[in-house]
Amino acid sequence: MRALQFDPVTLPPEAEEMRRRVRAFLAAERTAGRLVAYRGSWSVFDPDFSQRAGAAGFIGLTLPREYGGHGQSSLVRYVVTEEMLAAGAPCGAHWVADRQSAPQILRYGSERAKREILPRICAGRCYFAIGMSEPDSGSDLAAVRTRAVRTRGGWLINGSKIWTSRAHQVHYLIALVRTGEAGEDRHGGLTQFIIDLSRPGVQIRPIRNIAGRHEFNEVFFTDYFVEDDMMVGKEGQGWSMVTSELSFERSGPDRFLSDYHLLVALIDKVGSMPDRRSAIEIGRLVSHLAALRRMSISIAGLVEKGKMPGVEAALVKDVGTTFEREIPEVARRVITTEPSLEEDDVFVKSLAHVVLEAPSFTIRGGTREILRGMIARALGLR
Amino acid sequence: MSGSSDILSILLEQVDRLLTQHATKEVLAEAEHGTWPATLWNALAEAGLSLAMVPEEQGGSGLPPADAMLLLRRVGYHCTPAPLAETMLAAYLWAKAGGKPSVEPLSLAPTNVEEQIRLLHTAHGASLAGQARRVPWGRDVSKLIVFARDEQNRSYLVCASHPLGEGPFHRNLAFEPRPTISFDGITVAEAEILPAPSICINGVLELGALLRSQQMVGAMERCLDYALTYANERKQFGRPIAKFQAVQHMLAVAAGQYAAATAAADLAAQAVGSQQFGFAVAVAKARVGEAAGVVAEVAHQVHGAMGFTQEHPLHFATRRLWSWRDEFGHEAYWQERIGRIACKTGGANLWPMLVDAQR
């Protein structure tokens, strides 16, 4: 059982200095009434906030300065991320770009892509969606059918992507498409491209979620032309790049803080003198949170060392999203109420939102079943 | 975990070797029938483990608490049927109080929240009053380091030697001795009474919870090792049961619980002696205890009927988990503590408090 060990990591002084800066920024946002207490931080799409955060230097922290970034460590970025999430800052607009698109473009993108896109991401003005899933390719990502065919100066893409969060609001998506044969391991012939959603050949169809919200979409490509230098990485490298991208996507504190605001609201609802049962329920959640935070910092430490902690990230996401799904259930046990989106009370309103969002926690970014399969492989069971 | 990580890993390997040699299935089984594992204990003592946490200038190895806690995970892993964890802590505390530690096996009392031992000063000298239930290895050790308060409510450590008053004899679910010890009328020499060091100014409950958290992490690792091995060996329907998704997912869940428990135990191990220790150890005991239940359940489920027999050694680890999670405060006790702190802190300040507690 020596697999999957999470070495303790101590946050360096510059990370704690950054914490002071980001807290000061967030305090001003709170005073100005710009934080939404009843919604999860990264589910709220607010370009104005993203631009202020970008201007204050809180986006693209690990990117080099020459591309508009701040040349900071993954641990510094970790601190900014967790403080934003814990404060309920509306980070939804820049979240995907900052978390996974920018690091991918920096690592594998062309010079043109880096020059054109990264500075705008860092400024909080350029947003991304994820183009992995397709109607017949969800958990089985290798079954991707959207195809890119060579043409003069680039590629023509035909096919569709689905569950594309914010496709109707963002500027780009990175699409995983088929450019060749899959081969025996099914992982060959896949390539990633940066798709400019404002160009011809893209159609976006809204899909409403169970709460009636329009957040995700189906995106259709009809002879969409993409230049060679908007390819990310090399032809046929798509699978390994998606794998590394998913490590970024799965490893962060957004995988256990999605509904932290509900825990906050619950504690305030219960008040400073809880009865024994309420104290036990809340204390249990806090004990889980403290352990998860340590594990997540440990992963940030691995990323900082240049490692790609795919399995560790899967494990933290599994444990973290299980925790997220428990919060509303515990809240219901402790406080008697009937949740409603129309309610003014912050706790009741938060509970309503979270109950309706919770099923997505253990699906998006890799279902818990896929994650457990990955963990099982690392344990030597597959 | 520490700067001297090479030396530490050599030490941990030594401990593993020593326990593999001496904490055999036979020794474990005999200990459960009341046989003191003398050979095992002597080997541990000769290796200097009983005084591992005592400073070098006081005759120990001066192992930092965080490193010593890693050592205790190995002790838990091997289901060591002897009070090494208790001895290490008792010797550490006694040395910290200014006492001269010996290599004899030691234990601690009282281990329950609600019990208090009084230290009485009379014309005839000092004596103790009160009883402690479920004292780990209470009759097997030669001395107990007793936390006691005097009439002015000042805190002391008292080194009490047998013979002491005997109450009911219980064992925990792993058949580790947990007798009741009565201190009523036990006289103690002044030299055996020292003011309690700040680290245990309110008793030994928190430090005991720290020990059990670390031991449980080790025992959970053992359960998972057994379960992973068995899942790959045991064939049903023509293939190893490891190939069944239902089995894979159970073990993945258990691995997640183990990882979270390890993180919580690390938190407490690194906080020993700091302001944050009270919160950290509450998190550790609550989180590790919860994980222990899941890991034990999954390990048994994977082993089927085979793991339910005395023949298979799994039960040495799982019965310890079921015992240790309730010793020095069960999950609900520590969760309540954490919950009260969180509620007192309030929603807005919970995050800064959590961050500070983990520095």
Side-chain angles (χ1 to χ4, degrees):
Chain A
M1 194 48 221
R2 295 299 167 91
L4 298 174
Q5 301 271 358
F6 292 81
D7 291 333
V9 168
T10 306
L11 293 169
E14 62 270 24
E16 296 301 344
E17 174 53 34
M18 181 60 84
R19 192 188 302 283
R20 280 186 285 280
R21 274 181 55 197
V22 71
R23 280 186 182 174
F25 168 80
L26 289 165
E29 290 288 315
R30 188 176 290 109
T31 306
R34 291 160 171 167
L35 305 182
V36 192
Y38 58 89
R39 293 291 317 274
S41 160
W42 61 291
S43 61
V44 180
F45 195 93
D46 182 347
D48 292 338
F49 175 82
S50 292
Q51 287 177 33
R52 288 194 299 276
F58 298 130
I59 302 178
L61 279 151
T62 59
L63 268 56
R65 289 182 199 281
E66 58 170 317
Y67 298 118
H70 305 282
Q72 297 280 356
S73 74
S74 299
L75 293 167
V76 172
R77 176 171 186 277
Y78 175 87
V79 165
V80 171
T81 312
E82 69 170 6
E83 289 294 328
M84 291 276 186
L85 291 165
C91 291
H94 67 265
W95 199 254
V96 169
D98 181 56
R99 179 181 68 190
Q100 61 198 83
S101 315
Q104 283 291 81
I105 294 169
L106 177 72
R107 243 179 123 126
Y108 303 110
S110 68
E111 195 53 35
R112 176 188 155 210
K114 289 192 240 185
R115 297 251 167 251
E116 277 184 15
I117 295 171
L118 294 183
R120 287 190 290 141
I121 290 180
C122 297
R125 294 173 180 279
C126 174
Y127 317 130
F128 270 71
I130 301 164
M132 296 189 193
S133 295
E134 293 185 7
D136 294 321
S137 169
S139 292
D140 182 10
L141 209 49
V144 156
R145 285 202 306 215
T146 297
R147 187 167 276 279
V149 181
R150 264 194 196 286
T151 185
R152 256 182 59 166
W155 301 74
L156 281 181
I157 298 181
N158 282 282
S160 66
K161 292 288 171 185
I162 201 167
W163 321 130
T164 322
S165 291
R166 308 292 181 185
H168 58 301
Q169 289 167 303
V170 303
H171 306 95
Y172 297 94
L173 61 77
I174 296 183
L176 177 72
V177 305
R178 186 152 293 294
T179 50
E181 290 316 307
E184 230 165 70
D185 68 354
R186 301 179 67 233
H187 298 160
L190 293 169
T191 305
Q192 285 199 308
F193 290 99
I194 300 169
I195 308 287
D196 181 342
L197 293 167
S198 69
R199 299 202 3 197
V202 177
Q203 255 193 316
I204 296 169
R205 180 179 75 87
I207 303 174
R208 293 197 176 272
N209 68 17
I210 57 170
R213 288 177 177 279
H214 175 202
E215 285 174 359
F216 52 33
N217 302 275
E218 185 165 10
V219 181
F220 299 91
F221 307 104
T222 313
D223 288 336
Y224 175 90
F225 175 74
V226 56
E227 298 92 330
D228 276 321
D229 55 8
M230 284 294 128
M231 183 187 280
V232 189
K234 296 197 179 77
E235 186 182 342
Q237 255 191 353
W239 183 263
S240 66
M241 284 167 44
V242 163
T243 309
S244 75
E245 187 176 341
L246 284 168
S247 305
F248 289 118
E249 185 174 342
R250 288 171 178 157
S251 63
D254 40 341
R255 297 311 183 176
F256 59 91
L257 292 174
S258 294
D259 54 1
Y260 176 73
H261 61 291
L262 179 58
L263 177 59
V264 168
L266 171 65
I267 286 170
D268 288 339
K269 193 79 176 168
V270 164
S272 60
M273 299 289 286
D275 59 30
R276 177 167 185 266
R277 198 175 62 91
S278 303
I280 288 172
E281 295 271 24
I282 289 169
R284 175 171 171 271
L285 291 177
V286 173
S287 76
H288 281 231
L289 179 56
L292 277 161
R293 180 169 179 264
R294 263 191 94 84
M295 294 161 82
S296 194
I297 294 174
S298 173
I299 289 189
L302 289 173
V303 172
E304 181 56 26
K305 286 183 197 157
K307 294 186 180 148
M308 215 32 97
V311 181
E312 289 83 355
L315 189 138
V316 171
K317 182 174 183 289
D318 183 27
V319 179
T321 53
T322 301
F323 165 74
E324 289 180 338
R325 303 247 0 213
E326 277 197 78
I327 293 177
E329 299 310 311
V330 169
R332 292 178 54 250
R333 280 204 293 274
V334 172
I335 302 290
T336 303
T337 185
E338 296 178 22
S340 167
L341 296 173
E342 286 74 39
E343 181 67 55
D344 288 332
D345 181 278
V346 170
F347 170 77
V348 181
K349 201 178 176 79
S350 301
L351 179 61
H353 278 284
V354 170
V355 169
L356 291 174
E357 277 172 22
S360 72
F361 298 165
T362 42
I363 297 171
R364 61 185 181 190
T367 65
R368 78 153 62 105
E369 288 66 33
I370 288 293
L371 303 175
R372 287 178 186 173
M374 291 173 64
I375 297 162
R377 182 175 287 122
L379 294 174
L381 296 168
R382 294 175 65 189
Chain B
M1 200 181 262
S2 77
S4 55
S5 62
D6 285 350
I7 299 167
L8 179 63
S9 57
I10 292 168
L11 174 68
L12 295 178
E13 276 169 36
Q14 275 175 350
V15 171
D16 263 330
R17 264 202 308 277
L18 196 148
L19 291 172
T20 305
Q21 188 189 343
H22 292 289
T24 59
K25 196 179 158 189
E26 292 70 32
V27 171
L28 266 66
E30 282 169 25
E32 292 193 0
H33 289 104
T35 309
W36 172 253
T39 313
L40 165 66
W41 182 264
N42 292 339
L44 295 171
E46 268 171 39
L49 296 180
S50 48
L51 298 181
M53 294 173 71
V54 172
E56 287 176 73
E57 56 274 23
Q58 285 172 278
S61 317
L63 200 62
D67 293 353
M69 293 307 114
L70 294 184
L71 194 154
L72 286 185
R73 292 183 195 174
R74 306 319 305 156
V75 172
Y77 182 91
H78 292 277
C79 304
T80 311
L84 182 60
E86 290 83 353
T87 300
M88 274 171 55
L89 177 60
Y92 173 66
L93 294 179
W94 189 243
K96 238 184 164 36
K100 191 173 151 24
S102 64
V103 292
E104 294 160 296
L106 302 171
S107 189
L108 298 145
T111 63
N112 296 296
V113 210
E114 65 275 17
E115 289 169 348
Q116 283 251 357
I117 307 299
R118 311 298 311 183
L119 175 65
L120 311 167
H121 290 281
T122 65
H124 311 291
S127 68
L128 295 170
Q131 66 167 20
R133 287 179 301 113
R134 307 290 179 95
V135 178
W137 307 88
R139 295 183 189 175
D140 301 275
V141 296
S142 38
K143 292 170 180 173
L144 291 172
I145 302 298
V146 181
F147 176 82
R149 292 184 195 272
D150 68 3
E151 295 88 335
Q152 280 83 48
N153 221 29
R154 288 175 299 212
S155 304
Y156 294 91
L157 291 182
V158 178
C159 183
S161 302
H162 278 292
L164 300 161
E166 290 194 353
F169 179 77
H170 287 100
R171 299 176 300 168
N172 68 14
L173 300 179
F175 302 153
E176 294 180 311
R178 296 291 186 262
T180 296
I181 303 285
S182 171
F183 297 97
D184 286 328
I186 299 292
T187 56
V188 276
E190 285 299 331
E192 306 298 330
I193 305 168
L194 297 169
S198 59
I199 194 168
C200 62
I201 200 77
N202 291 313
V204 298
L205 186 75
E206 290 180 349
L207 289 161
L210 172 73
L211 301 185
R212 290 294 183 262
S213 300
Q214 308 301 328
Q215 290 171 290
M216 279 194 279
V217 167
M220 273 189 266
E221 185 186 338
R222 189 61 172 278
C223 287
L224 285 168
D225 278 354
Y226 281 137
L228 293 172
T229 305
Y230 187 79
N232 278 316
E233 286 172 0
R234 171 74 172 169
K235 287 199 174 78
Q236 289 289 277
F237 306 102
R239 50 184 171 155
I241 59 169
K243 300 301 165 200
F244 292 95
Q245 217 170 39
V247 174
Q248 292 173 358
H249 286 200
M250 268 199 298
L251 284 165
V253 169
Q257 292 286 321
Y258 168 71
T262 306
D266 285 343
L267 177 67
Q270 292 183 327
V272 177
S274 78
Q275 289 277 323
Q276 283 84 30
F277 181 65
F279 180 81
V281 78
V283 165
K285 191 63 169 49
R287 189 66 191 88
V288 175
E290 189 180 333
V294 178
V295 170
E297 180 187 331
V298 168
H300 273 290
Q301 194 65 22
V302 168
H303 281 86
M306 183 55 73
F308 197 58
T309 64
Q310 200 161 45
E311 193 185 326
H312 193 286
L314 175 64
H315 63 85
F316 290 118
T318 54
R319 287 185 293 125
R320 278 171 173 77
L321 290 176
W322 293 322
S323 301
W324 293 343
R325 64 180 177 171
D326 287 329
E327 295 179 357
F328 294 101
H330 61 5
E331 290 99 275
Y333 171 81
W334 294 105
Q335 285 161 352
E336 184 182 350
R337 260 209 203 188
I338 299 164
R340 292 199 182 284
I341 293 169
C343 289
K344 203 173 158 206
T345 304
N349 292 320
L350 175 67
W351 184 258
M353 186 274 279
L354 266 176
V355 170
D356 288 343
Q358 296 195 39
R359 275 188 219 275

